[in-house]
Amino acid sequence: MKTLGHWIGGKAVESVSGNAAPVYNPATGAQPTQVSLASVDEVDAAVDAARQAYADWSQSSLAKRTAFLFKYRELLDAHRDEIAELITAEHGKVHSDALGEVARGMEILELACGITEKLKGELSTQVSNRVDVSSIRQPIGVVAGITPFNFPAMVPMWMFPLAIACGNTFILKPSEKDPSAGYRLAELAAEAGLPDGVLNVVNGDKVAVDRLLSHPDVAAVSFVGSTPIAKYIQSEAVAHGKRVQALGGAKNHMLVLPDADLDFAADNAINAAYGSAGERCMAVSVVVAVGDTGDELVAKIADRAHKLRIGPGDDPASEMGPLITREHRDKVASYVGGAREQGADVVVDGTGYSVTGHPECADGFFLGVSLLDKVSPEMDAYRDEIFGPVLCVVRADTYDEAIHLINSSRWGNGTAIFTRDGGAARRFQLEVEAGMVGINVPIPVPVGYHSFGGWKDSLFGDLHVYGNDGVAFYTRGKVITTRWPDPAETGGINLGFPTSS
């Protein structure tokens, strides 16, 4: 069995903690790998390597940083299939979806390649007599990223390319469920010429997380995961004086108005609800059918759901793969039975699903897609973030009722409206309480040069990830006021408050 250790100071490091966790192939249920779980001392070693590397990297020229980033981008492009295969093997998502993940992560790397533009300062001349004022942005130090299992390559790439482009050094703590993609990203960074210690990977569990949150040399922490853990990350990081951005869970609504193209809406509901087996924080988990659209829309979604091909991610015919673990699969399945008991109509029941044509998948963590109609806000399937291939349909008589329903949610990550009415769409984008809004776009994940993040219980901290917010998070501002007096002038004493005159 393969054992995955850590990447510290530019080289592979075998763990001496004696603790390890299983890494499964979700399609087969087999365990080909185990991942080492770092001790406090091993986390400290990674922080020390990053701290030592920071002295030189923070003073490196923008030309040197961008030269690395461009080379790294070329190397990742050449290895994108390999990285996608690692994602499929440990997460389970189909290969095409894994390739898409790598591509979206590389958008942030491409943004980082233009860091010279993002770090340009400002200058105001002659603000007072012979006085100029300039502002610059500088790196903040050693920063850490704690990333989730559902996007083992993309979410790390949301963080470390911008962080190191800004002059920081980075410690990645990937999910212990699928750590190989993040580890491979660090290996390729070293191959592209990144100096030792600038990017480190520490595999681990809560022991590693807590040490990163408390270590005095870690200046900032980025996190993506569930809302309860995001709250914990924020409180612990702030208690130890750190800057923090912590992205939590979601319950994303897709509002469908009566004038919408229902075939188009049904296609997009399927894509957004069941892609990546629903293990996306931006997945549509609730369709809000307004007026008399419900029956027809549900029928169209059900017809498409029955035709989805579910199987191992390395089979090109598969459109959806397994869930990440057996325990998670069983938890997701329990919501379907629970919804039936609480009064919902189970239009499509994906529980008890088994893959055909792949005997090696008999013990895989597969679950079919489920469609629940006439769900009410009091039901567990509506209130909880299920994080699986379960789509709820809620009926609303009017737009006002629908927008009130959406805005009453404790989450505010992403939302979408499907309509042909530009006025209704404009009203929705202004009235809805969510950080990311799609108009006839079901998963409105911003491109790399706009920032990603939600509202309410979907975000803890002031700044979103990547885009301009990402640059701001990984830098701190400094304002410099300069006077070069005329040699012929005399000074004099003035105890009054200085003014710009």
Side-chain angles (χ1 to χ4, degrees):
M1 180 186 300
K2 176 184 175 182
T3 298
L4 190 68
H6 315 298
W7 185 267
I8 299 175
K11 62 181 183 296
V13 175
E14 291 186 10
S15 178
V16 294
S17 71
N19 297 320
V23 179
Y24 295 101
N25 180 336
T28 65
Q31 183 198 333
T33 306
Q34 65 176 2
V35 60
S36 299
L37 302 177
S39 65
V40 168
D41 288 343
E42 288 170 322
V43 175
D44 288 352
V47 175
D48 188 58
R51 182 184 57 79
Q52 292 185 48
Y54 177 74
D56 288 334
W57 184 250
S58 62
Q59 298 302 312
S60 63
S61 68
L62 291 177
K64 179 178 179 179
R65 294 181 215 164
T66 53
F68 156 72
L69 290 164
F70 275 106
K71 186 173 181 181
Y72 187 43
R73 194 264 175 211
E74 182 180 0
L75 195 59
L76 283 183
D77 187 44
H79 288 266
R80 65 170 65 208
D81 266 308
E82 175 198 348
I83 297 168
E85 288 171 0
L86 290 173
I87 296 169
T88 295
E90 293 184 351
H91 174 274
K93 66 180 66 175
V94 299
H95 188 71
S96 60
D97 193 18
L99 281 173
E101 172 183 343
V102 176
R104 292 306 300 268
M106 288 179 63
E107 283 185 7
I108 316 305
L109 175 56
E110 290 158 1
L111 175 70
C113 288
I115 199 64
T116 50
E117 179 68 22
K118 294 294 183 183
L119 290 185
K120 284 168 62 176
E122 298 175 320
L123 172 66
S124 298
T125 60
Q126 201 65 7
V127 299
S128 186
N129 186 31
R130 303 185 192 281
V131 175
D132 303 330
V133 176
S134 61
S135 60
I136 61 175
R137 301 205 68 85
Q138 294 183 295
I140 58 176
V142 177
V143 297
I146 301 166
T147 58
F149 73 81
N150 59 325
F151 288 102
M154 183 182 74
V155 174
M157 284 195 280
W158 281 1
M159 300 175 185
F160 75 79
L162 271 185
I164 63 178
C166 291
N168 304 284
T169 53
F170 198 92
I171 299 168
L172 171 65
K173 206 302 285 183
S175 169
E176 61 271 30
K177 294 182 176 66
D178 48 6
S180 294
Y183 189 92
R184 185 63 178 137
L185 292 176
E187 287 182 323
L188 291 171
E191 188 176 332
L194 188 66
D196 296 347
V198 175
L199 175 60
N200 307 274
V201 178
V202 174
N203 288 303
D205 54 10
K206 190 175 185 296
V207 171
V209 169
D210 284 345
R211 183 52 180 159
L212 289 172
L213 296 177
S214 65
H215 199 296
D217 289 335
V218 175
V221 176
S222 300
F223 170 82
V224 176
S226 69
T227 289
I229 305 302
K231 287 182 177 179
Y232 175 80
I233 294 290
Q234 183 196 36
S235 63
E236 287 297 305
V238 170
H240 288 90
K242 304 186 191 311
R243 187 178 293 189
V244 61
Q245 53 181 188
L247 279 66
K251 197 73 176 180
N252 304 312
H253 294 70
M254 173 177 152
L255 191 158
V256 182
L257 292 183
D259 71 313
D261 181 331
L262 295 189
D263 285 309
F264 182 67
D267 287 341
N268 281 276
I270 288 285
N271 297 338
Y274 303 133
S276 197
E279 293 176 326
R280 294 171 174 163
C281 70
M282 287 294 286
V284 165
S285 49
V286 180
V287 167
V288 184
V290 177
D292 60 359
T293 62
D295 289 346
E296 185 178 359
L297 180 59
V298 167
K300 289 178 180 293
I301 295 173
D303 178 64
R304 289 158 171 78
H306 284 300
K307 297 174 183 176
L308 289 177
R309 299 186 298 272
I310 302 171
D314 56 4
D315 182 347
S318 298
E319 295 173 298
M320 191 185 96
L323 274 71
I324 186 69
T325 65
R326 180 177 288 104
E327 293 77 13
H328 183 57
R329 178 203 57 195
D330 295 344
K331 180 181 178 181
V332 171
S334 71
Y335 280 98
V336 179
R340 179 184 285 110
E341 293 173 0
Q342 292 175 344
D345 290 347
V346 180
V347 181
V348 180
D349 187 345
T351 60
Y353 181 86
S354 59
V355 175
T356 59
H358 288 278
E360 75 279 9
C361 296
D363 295 323
F365 312 143
F366 288 93
L367 184 68
V369 302
S370 293
L371 176 62
L372 312 178
D373 190 17
K374 299 175 182 173
V375 174
S376 66
E378 297 78 25
M379 296 179 184
D380 292 337
Y382 181 86
R383 291 188 300 105
D384 297 345
E385 183 185 28
I386 298 176
F387 220 63
V390 179
L391 177 61
C392 299
V393 178
V394 178
R395 309 293 186 104
D397 291 332
T398 65
Y399 167 87
D400 288 333
E401 181 184 340
I403 194 74
H404 175 74
L405 177 78
I406 297 171
N407 288 347
S408 297
S409 173
R410 67 188 181 97
W411 288 293
N413 206 40
T415 188
I417 185 171
F418 278 71
T419 180
R420 298 175 182 177
D421 186 333
R426 187 175 187 277
R427 180 181 171 186
F428 179 78
Q429 72 183 34
L430 296 175
E431 293 179 344
V432 74
E433 296 177 7
M436 294 168 283
V437 179
I439 297 173
N440 297 316
V441 175
I443 303 180
V445 175
V447 293
Y449 35 91
H450 290 269
S451 299
F452 178 105
W455 289 8
K456 299 190 283 189
D457 271 5
S458 295
L459 175 72
F460 301 88
D462 296 324
L463 293 171
H464 295 177
V465 294
Y466 66 77
N468 289 335
D469 275 16
V471 175
F473 182 77
Y474 291 124
T475 57
R476 53 187 170 182
K478 180 181 287 184
V479 180
I480 304 156
T481 303
T482 306
R483 170 183 282 150
W484 294 105
D486 189 312
E489 290 182 346
T490 58
I493 296 173
N494 184 348
L495 301 186
F497 193 82
T499 61
S500 298
S501 61

